[in-house]
């Protein structure tokens, strides 16, 4: 004999089965296909602002079993210049950074300017990195990473201890990542290389954005922006 309480529960499931199915499918979609993440720090400025909600393609590199980290199929690998989301074991945080070095690359940095496999990246205005006293504290420069051109931010009032590093080879199955806000980003210069299995997807666009410093009002001009055309 079925208890009345069980009858009520079964009736509730039956009457809400479409809603429950929708919630299940949406959960699977967000777990394995695509999701959005909020950005709590300014390490990717000027490309990504604090308060942006970033759309992440979780199938860009691997197809994973929903709700797990188990890879079913490897689809692709990141390219230089792509923005990736990853679960960093070294930092014990979920991070978002830009891929600079691929497996086998030899990467170095001198006064903010990157060199990959012996070739200096196009970087403007690289000649203005060492600014005279009285110049603007924060400047932006344009950097070319293969087919992807993007802007970086240089805060000349911040420490330059991360502005240089000697040539280093990226190991197999790993990536060297940097934040676009070069003097305010804890990235591979702090936590080391990112192993492929920590990747969770490719950041593609800004879904929407709110201004934390202005009563959380929406930044309408940033809605639905392609991250690679800002």
């Amino acid at each position: 004999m079925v208890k009345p309480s069980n009858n009520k529960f079964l009736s509730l499931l039956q009457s809400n089965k479409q809603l429950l199915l929708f919630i299940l499918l949406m959960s699977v979609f967000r777990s394995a296909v695509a999701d959005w993440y909020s950005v709590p720090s300014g390490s990717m400025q000027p490309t990504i602002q604090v308060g942006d909600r970033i759309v992440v393609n979780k199938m860009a590199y691997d197809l994973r079993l929903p709700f797990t980290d188990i890879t079913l199929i490897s689809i692709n690998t990141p390219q230089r210049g792509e923005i990736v989301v990853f679960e960093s074991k070294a930092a014990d945080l979920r991070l978002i950074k830009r891929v600079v070095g691929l497996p086998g690359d030899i990467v170095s940095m001198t006064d903010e300017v990157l060199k990959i496999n012996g070739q200096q990246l196009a970087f403007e205005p690289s000649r203005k990195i060492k600014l005279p006293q009285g110049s603007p504290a924060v400047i932006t420069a344009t950097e070319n990473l293969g087919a992807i051109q993007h802007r970086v931010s240089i805060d000349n009032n911040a420490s330059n201890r991360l502005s240089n590093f000697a040539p280093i080879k990226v190991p197999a199955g790993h990536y060297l990542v940097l934040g676009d806000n070069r003097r305010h980003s804890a990235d591979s210069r702090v936590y080391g290389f990112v192993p492929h299995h920590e990747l969770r997807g490719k950041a593609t666009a800004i879904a929407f954005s709110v201004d934390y410093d202005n009563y959380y009002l929406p930044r309408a001009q940033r809605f639905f922006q392609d991250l690679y055309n800002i």
Side-chain angles (χ1 to χ4, degrees):
M1 180 177 178
V2 179
K3 295 181 180 179
S5 59
N6 288 341
N7 277 332
K8 288 182 180 179
F9 179 70
L10 291 173
S11 176
L12 182 65
L13 287 179
Q14 184 67 24
S15 61
N16 291 280
K17 62 181 180 181
Q18 289 183 332
L19 175 61
L20 293 173
L21 179 61
F22 172 80
I23 292 173
L24 175 61
L25 292 176
M26 181 58 68
S27 298
V28 170
F29 180 85
R30 294 188 63 178
S31 172
V33 181
D35 201 356
W36 70 46
Y37 295 119
S38 62
V39 177
S41 76
S43 70
M44 283 296 293
Q45 291 177 340
T47 309
I48 298 174
Q49 302 293 325
V50 176
D52 286 350
R53 266 53 171 183
I54 304 301
V55 177
V56 178
N57 178 3
K58 291 191 169 184
M59 292 180 61
Y61 309 124
D62 301 285
L63 175 62
R64 286 188 167 87
L65 186 67
F67 312 114
T68 76
D69 294 333
I70 299 172
T71 298
L72 299 176
I73 302 173
S74 292
I75 298 172
N76 207 341
T77 56
Q79 301 301 306
R80 291 192 196 96
E82 292 182 351
I83 301 170
V84 295
V85 171
F86 57 100
E87 298 287 348
S88 173
K89 183 178 179 180
D92 195 25
L93 289 170
R94 176 184 295 156
L95 300 176
I96 181 167
K97 305 294 177 185
R98 192 180 296 275
V99 175
V100 169
L102 304 179
D105 282 347
I106 297 176
V107 185
S108 64
M109 178 184 280
T110 303
D111 293 332
E112 318 290 351
V113 182
L114 285 165
K115 185 179 287 187
I116 300 177
N117 299 326
Q119 292 194 338
Q120 182 174 303
L121 299 190
F123 189 99
E124 295 293 342
S126 58
R127 64 186 180 279
K128 296 181 182 178
I129 292 303
K130 295 181 177 179
L131 296 177
Q133 188 174 4
S135 297
V138 180
I139 64 168
T140 59
T142 301
E143 183 176 80
N144 287 348
L145 279 166
I148 295 178
Q149 184 181 85
H150 69 103
R151 292 182 300 153
V152 298
S153 177
I154 311 295
D155 181 357
N156 287 281
N157 281 341
S159 169
N160 65 351
R161 67 183 182 87
L162 298 178
S163 299
N164 302 271
F165 59 86
I168 188 168
K169 186 174 183 178
V170 184
H174 291 71
Y175 306 93
L176 189 150
V177 300
L178 297 176
D180 290 351
N181 194 355
R182 289 288 161 80
R183 295 192 183 182
H184 294 283
S185 175
D187 41 45
S188 286
R189 296 170 294 179
V190 175
Y191 297 119
F193 302 110
V194 178
H196 185 94
H197 68 81
E198 289 187 353
L199 299 179
R200 293 298 176 265
K202 175 185 175 181
T204 61
I206 302 168
F208 61 97
S209 182
V210 295
D211 189 344
Y212 291 167
D213 295 326
N214 190 24
Y215 305 101
Y216 288 79
L217 291 175
R219 301 186 184 107
Q221 73 278 9
R222 294 188 67 79
F223 282 30
F224 312 116
Q225 285 284 310
D226 182 346
L227 283 176
Y228 302 96
N229 286 297
I230 291 181

